[in-house]
Amino acid sequence: MKKIAVFLAALILTANAFALEVDKSELESAPDAESIVFINYTGPHSKIDSLMSIKGIGSNMGKNVAASTEKFTKAGAGRYSVIHAVNPEEKDGLDADIILIGSDAEVDHINNLRHIIAAYLSSAYGYTEKDAETIAVFVTVYNAVYRGKLDAFNSRYKKIVSDNLSAEKCGLSVNYKDWPGKSQIVIPLFDVSNGGLSTIDTSVISDTQVVKHMQDDDDKNIESRKDMVDLKEREAEQAAEKAQTAQKNAVQEQKKLSEEKAKTEEAKKEAEESKVKAEEAEMQAAEAEQKAKENPKDKEAQKEAAESREKAEEAKAEAEEKQEALEEQEKAEEQQKVSAEEAKKEAAEQQAAADKKTSEAQEERKTIASDQQQIIKEEIKNAAASSAYAIQLVDEANLLSALVKVNTEDGSIIKSSPVRFIRNRTVWQAGTNFVAIAGENSGNGAVKLVLLSPDTMEITKESDETIAEKSVLVQDGSEYYCIIQEGSDCYLGKFDAELNRKLKSDSTVKSATPVTVTGKNIIVSDANGKVLVLEKATLRKVQ
């Protein structure tokens, strides 16, 4: 668990409120401050895209790449696109897919980005949804670890990949605000031609640095790492099957090579015999021609010379034919030799791949088991320790905070809320939940009143109304007051513990007005900055 310093801030004057804060600077000074922790927008949204539409972004890009996996391809445009950077002619380095996030993209949570990547992998290469989601988790961490490290990418990938990367954009920032227009998410490709489980190089995206950073999370990413181990074990099984098939093929090719060698030896023998016969026939022809020359009137000698010459030419032609056959057979033997070597090499490579994946899976299983034991020890320790909910200051300039559960005996964080946009350092207990103002007005975000679960610390409900960014949140019994924003006008609103609006003031108020509850009245600052007294029962101006 991450060690932090805690301190009590000014307590809001009510027994049900707290403002125990954790200073972010203390976290940044800790030894593990460089951990890969994705900063997501986890507040309310002005509009919510369906999971289907989010996945559709990746699926559409993947369909274009699937049509020609062995060719350089660009797919998508605008907000999201991919460069399928492959070059079969380049032998050194890895091919890769590079997913680009456009400057007008609105993705603001790592989970949604992973859904896009996973859908792309399923559509382009046929990965199952579960395997694709597992790979997507590792791809994002891998790209965060190597963010901006162009030399690391250049040393591992082909030139066609490097030519499409830049030092300013390569990899993925941990902060969602830096994603649009500044991201080049690299996905290493291992076996595009055959596809299947080994299309993506899982060894690269799960190297020691990636796993080390995944271990920094409170849950140590156990489930994702276990899923990767399972995937690698299946990769090993697949590679072992291919190795077995390749080995059988290698044996057959070696057998064929032996047969070709025997044919070559036979061809050599026949060529040599034909050569000897041709030489003898040439000698006989020469002798007969010399005799015919010495006896020009001897018809029998002339006839014998002609016949000998004809036989010599036939023998010569046969010898040349046998020599050509030998040369062709030698070529066939050489080709078969190459085929046998390639088959042998393929069998060795597949076996090496199987052994590598098996070894990686076994080692990671050991590490996971050790991490699980450590988590159990932490859980036992925290269960026995005193704890309290607190507010961790994460952005001092904008007064943004997050809900945390703290071990008050040693100051470690037991659990952190993913919601890091609680405004103005105020959280109230509302029944079994916590109520706060959260969010920001940027991109697809919105500021609203929210309920947080004490168990998951996630948003379980949000108000229909938009709340002013600088609004205070005041509790009065089971009712809560904050400033409602409607266009450029602001009003005081009263809500119950379920975030239902009970009343809204008729008068406009300052967005950052203090709210003072006094008996039957509420005192605020109106739109002109003057003191305004409202009736608590109606939120109308006191006459």
Side-chain angles (χ1 to χ4, degrees), residues 460-473:
T460 59
K461 188 176 182 181
E462 58 187 58
S463 64
D464 294 329
E465 294 78 8
T466 298
I467 307 301
E469 285 187 349
K470 297 180 180 180
S471 172
V472 295
L473 178 61

Side-chain angles (χ1 to χ4, degrees), residues 248-265:
K248 290 180 180 178
N249 183 52
V251 171
Q252 291 298 319
E253 293 298 320
Q254 190 62 39
K255 182 180 179 181
K256 291 178 182 178
L257 178 59
S258 297
E259 293 173 352
E260 293 298 331
K261 286 182 177 180
K263 290 179 182 179
T264 301
E265 289 301 316

